[in-house]
Amino acid sequence: MAKLILSLDGLVLNEFSLVKERTSIGRKPHNDIQIDNLAVSGEHAVVVTIGNDCFLEDVGSTNGTLVNGAPVKKHLLRNNDVIELGKYKLTFAGKIPTPAAADYEKTMVWRPADAKQAAAPKAAPANPPPVNPPPVNPAPVNPPPVNPPPAPGKPARTVAPAAAGMIAAPARGVAKDGAARTPVWKIGLVLLAILILGYLLFGLRG
């Protein structure tokens, strides 16, 4: 809470807390701060308190009001301001804000260079890390058919490329071992001829 400290020739006489919205100063007894001295007018000045601010206003005094040696009509009081009324002095002791209140709504220092740096895009790295491509599985390759070695005394058989993995059936009239095969009807004709020839031979002798 702000207050006024009354002193004369450096000697503190009294202290007055500024609890009212309007605090009067003068020589007459009805004033909130009475200074019984002929140099002080009956109603000399007032201090108006609005929130945390205190304003000193001269109300038409004869000798005027000085603040820090300079005459004023209306003045916003600051901490350690000295009000001079004749030979008397009133020192203003304002309310010192706490650190939390002092830091409230503190203006941030903004520089154009900081704005440009924040707006500039980040540069890409000079040497980006290599990206390994996914492994490619080669397509399966069908190995060429392998012809088995021929057995002793038997001709070799070759597997045609178009029918890889399959064994070709032997041709008609050819044995499995590759030798030529005589048709059955021919064998029948030969046997019939032998029978006829034998009958004729044995019939002539009889």
Side-chain angles (χ1 to χ4, degrees):
M1 182 180 296
K3 61 183 178 179
L4 291 174
I5 303 172
L6 179 63
S7 62
L8 176 64
D9 297 332
L11 179 64
V12 175
L13 301 178
N14 204 348
E15 293 184 4
F16 303 92
S17 298
L18 301 177
V19 294
K20 297 173 61 176
E21 182 178 352
R22 182 182 178 90
T23 303
S24 61
I25 305 171
R27 190 179 70 252
K28 295 181 179 180
H30 68 269
N31 289 288
D32 298 308
I33 300 176
Q34 182 187 9
I35 302 176
D36 189 9
N37 185 269
L38 294 177
V40 179
S41 299
E43 295 177 353
H44 196 103
V46 294
V47 176
V48 179
T49 302
I50 303 175
N52 293 327
D53 296 328
C54 296
F55 297 89
L56 173 68
E57 183 178 355
D58 186 274
V59 291
S61 63
T62 302
N63 296 317
T65 304
L66 303 179
V67 176
N68 300 326
V72 296
K73 287 294 183 180
K74 190 172 184 179
H75 176 77
L76 173 62
L77 292 173
R78 296 178 176 84
N79 196 38
N80 294 326
D81 278 352
V82 178
I83 304 169
E84 299 180 26
L85 304 172
K87 294 182 179 181
Y88 290 84
K89 294 181 180 181
L90 288 168
T91 303
F92 177 74
K95 181 180 179 181
I96 300 175
T98 60
D103 294 339
Y104 180 69
E105 294 184 353
K106 185 177 181 181
T107 303
M108 181 181 66
V109 178
W110 182 259
R111 300 181 179 87
D114 298 337
K116 292 180 180 180
Q117 184 176 1
K122 295 183 179 179
N127 296 322
V131 179
N132 296 327
V136 179
N137 296 326
V141 179
N142 295 326
V146 179
N147 296 324
K154 295 183 180 180
R157 290 182 297 171
T158 303
V159 179
M166 299 177 62
I167 301 176
R172 190 173 183 181
V174 180
K176 292 183 179 180
D177 55 359
R181 185 172 60 182
T182 304
V184 177
W185 63 272
K186 289 184 179 182
I187 296 176
L189 290 177
V190 172
L191 292 176
L192 181 59
I194 292 174
L195 290 175
I196 295 171
L197 182 60
Y199 176 76
L200 292 175
L201 290 177
F202 286 104
L204 292 175
R205 290 182 181 180

